[in-house]
Amino acid sequence: MSEQAAVFDLSTRIKLRVAGGDRVRFLNGQVTADVRKATTSSAIEMCVLDPKGKMNAHGFLFDSADSFLLDADAELKESLQPRLERYVIADDVVIEDVSDQLSIFHVASEAAPTLPTAKWIVSARRFVRSGWDVWVEASEYETTLQQLSAMFDFCDSNCAELFRIEQGIPRWGRELTSDIIPVEANLEERAIDYEKGCYVGQEVISRMKMSGQRNKKLCGLLSTGNVALVAGMELMTTSQPEKSVGRITSAGRSEKLGKEIALGYVKRGFNATGARLEAINMGDPASPKAAAVVVDLPFEP
């Protein structure tokens, strides 16, 4: 995809409305970001964790004046609302699934779009570049899609997937799972506020910050021999070819770079920039091995 402004359809994401007089205090005890920094014009990125600091969800939320609106990957539709409601004890908080009532588009551009059908337009850093979330009533979906597609390049699901890999952005179900601590996924600066106070999983996150240690890290990987990298490939060291030190989570061919690229988790001690690894498809021993090098994220031309 070119560097000019583009529009993404995020309407399949789950959307929750969190209302009630205790909504700020409640959400601040559940998410890694400081809810007080969400405004009616700016969304914040956040994670929901379990007591061990591992991820239950990742998403964005903003203040719609009388409630917060939160969106997350569609895979979390059955689990996120019950997870949050489990911690509603005597709080004045109501959590409602409004996924079918609202649609979301994201415009990656410096300037906010002007759109008569928009219910809310809020700044949101979903990728490396700045952007804007456009929320509309579900009934306005087709009209809004046509209007935005006339103004910006439309990035379909395949385009969006490659774009986020190039940008080094983790995705739920790929880089983000219930086995991952957000610091390992490079979400520390984007989604964690260390000054806000206690929340579920906060002790683990604080200990990691104090120690400066993480067992593995999400890395960019570049195929040095132009052999395709594939999600699920095991990463081996060249010095110890039988020792797995990581795994590829997402991969594709970047036409912008003219190279095969991937995201993957690599263990501590093997994930320094420039480290050389070998990617192997363990399910198909006959498939070619791929030589790969660890690179900084986002990928640069």
Side-chain angles (χ1 to χ4, degrees), residues 256-299:
K256 181 175 73 174
L257 301 174
K259 296 183 180 296
E260 301 287 338
I261 63 173
L263 299 177
Y265 284 100
V266 185
K267 292 180 181 179
R268 185 174 65 209
F270 303 94
N271 56 27
T273 300
R276 296 193 172 274
L277 302 171
E278 195 169 62
I280 301 174
N281 187 342
M282 302 299 284
D284 183 8
S287 63
K289 299 178 181 179
V293 61
V294 175
V295 298
D296 293 331
L297 293 172
F299 289 94

Side-chain angles (χ1 to χ4, degrees), residues 108-120:
S109 68
E110 291 294 331
T114 301
L115 210 65
T117 56
K119 194 172 180 67
W120 299 284

Side-chain angles (χ1 to χ4, degrees), residues 189-219:
E189 292 185 8
R190 297 173 60 97
I192 298 175
D193 191 307
Y194 288 101
E195 307 299 326
K196 56 166 283 188
C198 296
Y199 56 88
V200 177
Q202 181 255 345
E203 291 184 5
V204 174
I205 302 300
S206 295
R207 284 201 301 270
M208 289 185 72
K209 179 177 175 60
M210 291 178 64
S211 69
Q213 299 289 337
R214 47 185 167 177
N215 292 329
K216 58 183 176 291
K217 182 179 76 168
L218 182 63
C219 297

Side-chain angles (χ1 to χ4, degrees), residues 9 31 42 49 51 64 81 103-104 115 120 143 145 196 206 299:
D9 185 356
V31 306
S42 180
L49 310 180
S64 66
Q81 185 174 358
S103 295
I104 313 173
L115 210 65
W120 299 284
T143 300
L145 177 59
K196 56 166 283 188
S206 295
F299 289 94

Side-chain angles (χ1 to χ4, degrees), residues 20-233:
D22 295 330
R23 63 185 182 275
V24 174
R25 181 181 58 78
F26 170 76
L27 279 174
N28 254 348
Q30 300 303 315
V31 306
T32 56
D34 189 343
V35 172
R36 294 167 296 187
K37 294 180 179 178
T39 70
T40 55
S41 60
S42 180
I44 60 171
E45 187 173 358
M46 55 83 207
C47 303
V48 180
L49 310 180
D50 68 14
K52 295 181 179 180
K54 294 188 176 182
M55 298 190 64
N56 288 155
H58 167 265
F60 289 77
L61 67 84
F62 75 97
D63 187 351
S64 66
D66 62 349
S67 62
F68 287 101
L69 283 170
L70 181 158
D71 71 90
D73 192 277
E75 286 189 22
L76 296 165
K77 183 170 178 59
E78 301 302 323
S79 62
L80 180 54
Q81 185 174 358
R83 156 62 182 84
L84 293 173
E85 289 179 335
R86 191 182 315 142
Y87 287 86
V88 178
I89 309 300
D91 306 278
D92 176 16
V93 170
V94 177
I95 303 173
E96 178 188 7
D97 187 342
V98 293
S99 301
D100 295 336
Q101 301 174 32
L102 297 166
S103 295
I104 313 173
F105 297 91
H106 180 76
V107 178
S109 68
E110 291 294 331
T114 301
L115 210 65
T117 56
K119 194 172 180 67
W120 299 284
I121 297 179
V122 296
S123 65
R125 186 178 165 229
R126 291 184 183 265
F127 300 105
V128 172
R129 66 171 77 172
S130 59
W132 305 88
D133 286 349
V134 178
W135 290 68
V136 300
E137 298 286 355
S139 59
E140 297 286 352
Y141 171 83
E142 290 294 343
T143 300
T144 305
L145 177 59
Q146 291 175 11
Q147 291 174 335
L148 288 172
S149 297
M151 292 187 282
F152 307 103
D153 288 341
F154 179 73
C155 191
D156 64 16
S157 58
N158 292 329
C159 164
E161 178 68 358
L162 184 58
F163 182 60
R164 75 152 188 98
I165 294 172
E166 290 174 337
Q167 299 249 311
I169 303 299
R171 171 187 169 188
W172 190 265
R174 293 296 187 93
E175 292 71 38
L176 304 180
T177 70
S178 58
D179 293 323
I180 296 298
I181 297 171
V183 176
E184 298 171 335
N186 304 328
L187 291 174
E188 185 171 20
E189 292 185 8
R190 297 173 60 97
I192 298 175
D193 191 307
Y194 288 101
E195 307 299 326
K196 56 166 283 188
C198 296
Y199 56 88
V200 177
Q202 181 255 345
E203 291 184 5
V204 174
I205 302 300
S206 295
R207 284 201 301 270
M208 289 185 72
K209 179 177 175 60
M210 291 178 64
S211 69
Q213 299 289 337
R214 47 185 167 177
N215 292 329
K216 58 183 176 291
K217 182 179 76 168
L218 182 63
C219 297
L221 297 157
L222 199 66
S223 175
T224 56
N226 215 28
V227 176
L229 300 173
V230 180
M233 277 183 158

